[in-house]
Amino acid sequence: MKYKKYFRKTSLKQDGVGDYFLNIVKEKSPKTFLEVGVFHGVTARNICELLYKIHKNDFKYIGLDLFEINDENKSEVIPNTFFSNPLKNIYFKFFKNLNPYSKEAVEDLLKKYKNNITLIKGNSNLLLKKIDMSKIDFVFLDGGHAYETVKNDLECCLEVINSNGTILCDDYDLGAQAPQVKKAIDEFIQKYKLKCEILWNTRFAKIEK
Ligand SMILES: C[S@@+](CC[C@H](N)C(=O)[O-])C[C@H]1O[C@@H](n2cnc3c(N)ncnc32)[C@H](O)[C@@H]1O
C-alpha cells in the first residue's frame, strides 16, 4: 500500500519510508493499534486505510497527542506546524477553518473511521498508564523525544510486548541531535532482554519478545 500525505505534514515524509512503515504494520496485521504522537494524523489515516483493507471494520486505532503547546509541555519538541506551501495555510485557515495540529482536525481527517478510532489529547507521561495495554497489538512510538518521556512510554507499553505484540519506535538513532532516544530504547531492551531490530538505516527500532 502507498503511504499518502493528505495535504498535511508528517514525520514519514522521506521518499519510500511511509510505504516501508506500512509494510512493517501489514506483516503484523494488528487489530488494535496505538500511535503515541499523532501530529496532523497522516499516519493515523494511512493506518486506518490499511487496517480497514485487512480487517474491514474489525479494528481499532487509538491516537494520543498533546495537540497543543502550553507552559506545561514546552520542554517537549513539537515539529513546526506551519506549512512552507502558502496554499496549505490558506486551505486550513479559510476552507477547513481548522488548525491541522488539533484533535478536531485529526477527527475530521479520520471521519470515515469514526467508529474505529479513539483520539486522546494529553501528555503520554500522564495518560499512557491509563490505557489497557493488554488489548493493544502494535504501538508506533513517535511522541516526545525527552529521555524521561521515551523511558516512560516504553515502560507503559511493556505489557504489549508481554502479550506478543510489537513496539515500533521512530527516530531511534538521531545521532547528536537526540542521543537520549537511543539511550532510553537501548536501556529498555537490555533491562527486559528483548529482541530489537534496527530498520531503515537506523531510523526505526522494532521491539518484540
Ligand atoms: C514527530 S510528531 C508525530 C508524527 C506522526 N506520528 C506522523 O507519523 O506524522 C511528534 C508528536 O508527538 C507529540 N508529543 C510530544 N511530546 C508528547 C507527549 N509527552 N505526550 C503526547 N504527545 C507528545 C507532539 O505533539 C507531536 O505531534
Side-chain angles (χ1 to χ4, degrees):
M1 213 185 99
K2 276 257 160 242
Y3 185 92
K4 294 194 193 144
K5 308 256 173 78
Y6 296 99
F7 216 53
R8 288 158 174 81
K9 282 188 156 185
T10 170
S11 54
L12 301 182
K13 59 182 178 291
Q14 189 196 348
D15 261 359
V17 73
D19 303 346
Y20 181 82
F21 165 82
L22 288 177
N23 268 326
I24 299 175
V25 179
K26 193 175 165 201
E27 261 175 35
K28 298 285 161 190
S29 294
K31 281 206 169 173
T32 310
F33 188 100
L34 168 65
E35 182 176 25
V36 183
V38 174
F39 195 42
H40 287 191
V42 175
T43 294
R45 174 68 186 266
N46 278 280
I47 287 297
C48 287
E49 296 286 339
L50 174 70
L51 298 186
Y52 181 77
K53 263 198 181 154
I54 303 172
H55 302 298
K56 293 293 164 211
N57 266 319
D58 189 18
F59 78 91
K60 289 265 174 278
Y61 167 91
I62 302 165
L64 167 65
D65 201 293
L66 299 166
F67 288 124
E68 75 176 336
I69 304 154
N70 59 31
D71 278 353
E72 279 159 35
N73 61 41
K74 62 180 180 230
S75 61
E76 298 286 7
V77 180
I78 286 133
N80 180 3
T81 64
F82 195 77
F83 296 106
S84 48
N85 176 349
L87 275 182
K88 291 190 180 178
N89 291 312
I90 292 168
Y91 172 74
F92 278 101
K93 198 163 176 193
F94 299 106
F95 288 89
K96 298 297 278 183
N97 199 16
L98 284 169
N99 168 5
Y101 175 57
S102 67
K103 189 167 169 251
E104 293 68 31
V106 177
E107 272 161 1
D108 182 63
L109 180 63
L110 302 183
K111 59 180 180 284
K112 253 171 93 178
Y113 300 107
K114 65 177 189 302
N115 297 325
N116 305 84
I117 65 154
T118 306
L119 291 176
I120 305 165
K121 178 174 171 164
N123 195 319
S124 63
N125 288 294
L126 304 172
L127 296 180
L128 266 188
K129 52 173 96 65
K130 299 191 178 163
I131 296 177
D132 181 359
M133 290 293 170
S134 67
K135 302 246 160 46
I136 310 280
D137 305 318
F138 196 110
V139 181
F140 181 41
L141 205 60
D142 192 18
H145 284 27
Y147 172 77
E148 287 303 332
T149 302
V150 180
K151 186 176 167 186
N152 165 77
D153 292 356
L154 286 167
E155 289 288 345
C156 287
C157 295
L158 181 63
E159 181 65 21
V160 175
I161 301 286
N162 288 336
S163 320
N164 291 316
T166 304
I167 305 175
L168 186 72
C169 305
D170 195 17
D171 295 334
Y172 168 67
D173 193 351
L174 289 173
Q177 199 190 322
Q180 70 281 2
V181 175
K182 182 174 183 303
K183 179 172 163 15
I185 295 170
D186 289 347
E187 285 173 2
F188 178 74
I189 292 158
Q190 256 195 337
K191 180 173 171 190
Y192 295 105
K193 311 252 174 300
L194 301 170
K195 205 171 86 190
C196 178
E197 260 182 274
I198 307 303
L199 304 167
W200 193 265
N201 196 6
T202 55
R203 174 156 189 170
F204 298 117
K206 187 171 88 169
I207 307 172
E208 290 175 324
K209 196 149 76 171

